[in-house]
Amino acid sequence: MIRVLQIIASLEGSGGVQKRLLDNYMNMNRNEVVFDFIVHGHDSGELIPIAENMGSKVFIVTPKKESLCRNLLEIADVMKCGHYDIVQCHMEQASAFIIPIAIK
């Protein structure tokens, strides 16, 4: 089984990336590929129940605006505990911090 961690700002219904990820995941063999999500902030989005109903775990982390340090530590903890094969970050500026954590 391939475990994929999708890092995204939110799972709001209005976002094109969010909808595309969930549409792709709906059409995958979820016995072979598992998508989990990291979303940023307390208002994380109305698509969370849909993701969870498909077997995804959704982790809500502290927004970078509140505490960049706490945000990165929480993301690192999720990565460490999840043993992910692939980490995909859909947040352009945050990738500079997140990708080195994923590589480590």
Side-chain angles (χ1 to χ4, degrees):
M1 178 177 299
I2 298 171
R3 298 184 52 80
V4 181
L5 180 63
Q6 302 285 354
I7 302 173
I8 195 160
S10 72
L11 281 172
E12 296 288 330
S14 60
V17 172
Q18 295 88 329
K19 287 183 180 180
R20 182 69 176 178
L21 284 172
L22 290 176
D23 285 345
N24 287 344
Y25 193 43
M26 278 185 211
N27 294 300
M28 291 182 183
N29 182 343
R30 291 188 296 276
N31 293 319
E32 295 179 9
V33 178
V34 173
F35 276 13
D36 288 339
F37 295 87
I38 288 180
V39 296
H40 296 74
H42 311 292
D43 184 21
S44 47
E46 65 268 9
L47 298 177
I48 288 177
I50 295 170
E52 291 175 336
N53 286 337
M54 289 191 293
S56 295
K57 293 179 185 171
V58 179
F59 303 95
I60 299 170
V61 298
T62 301
K64 294 183 303 296
K65 290 179 183 177
E66 279 184 33
S67 173
L68 178 61
C69 185
R70 190 176 332 149
N71 174 273
L72 295 174
L73 288 172
E74 291 170 0
I75 291 171
D77 286 344
V78 170
M79 287 183 195
K80 184 178 178 181
C81 295
H83 304 287
Y84 293 98
D85 300 298
I86 299 168
V87 174
Q88 188 170 17
C89 182
H90 300 276
M91 301 174 63
E92 189 174 326
Q93 292 84 7
S95 295
F97 298 106
I98 292 170
I99 299 306
I101 294 170
I103 291 170
K104 186 176 176 183

